[in-house]
Structures are given as C-alpha cells and as structure tokens.
Amino acid sequence: MCSADDVPLGKPAPDLFLHAARSQNCPPARCLVIEDSPPGMDAALAAGMPVVGYSGAPPSPTFSRTPPRASSPTLPA
C-alpha cells in the first residue's frame, strides 16, 4: 500500500502514482488508475497512466469534465 506520506508532492503531481508503479515493478503505461477527483485524474495522466474517473454520486459538471490532457495511453497486450 502506498500513501501520500511516501512521496514529497501530493496530487496533482504524479509522484504517488509513479511511486506505486515502481513499488510493483510495473511500467506506468501498464497501470490503470481509478480516481475519484479531478486532481487525481490529472496526476494519473501526468504519470502516463490510463485513468477512469469514478464517483458514487450522480455525475456533476465539475467531475465529468474532460481533463486537458485526456489522452490515456492504450494498454499494450
């Protein structure tokens, strides 16, 4: 398990996601992030990881926005 205490910068910096990938010896492009906040989505994209936005509540205009860098890499086979 990784937490924000393990890295110098929190979201929207990609540090935590990159730390988690390194700890599992997994390239960032092979990870999938399921995130519940726009800053977390930005962090995942900055880390080069595909991201899926999740919210238990009905969609809101703020959360359902497309991040500026909404190009998630395709997971290789």
Side-chain angles (χ1 to χ4, degrees), residues 11-39:
K11 299 171 189 174
D15 300 29
L16 180 57
F17 292 124
L18 293 171
H19 172 71
R22 276 191 304 271
S23 74
Q24 299 299 308
N25 295 315
C26 185
R30 296 280 301 162
C31 298
L32 174 64
V33 176
I34 300 171
E35 181 58 53
D36 65 349
S37 71

Side-chain angles (χ1 to χ4, degrees), residues 37-71:
S37 71
M41 293 172 68
D42 290 341
L45 292 170
M49 298 177 178
V51 60
V52 174
Y54 170 80
S55 173
S60 73
T62 301
F63 187 75
S64 63
R65 71 171 171 77
T66 302
R69 299 176 307 277
S71 58

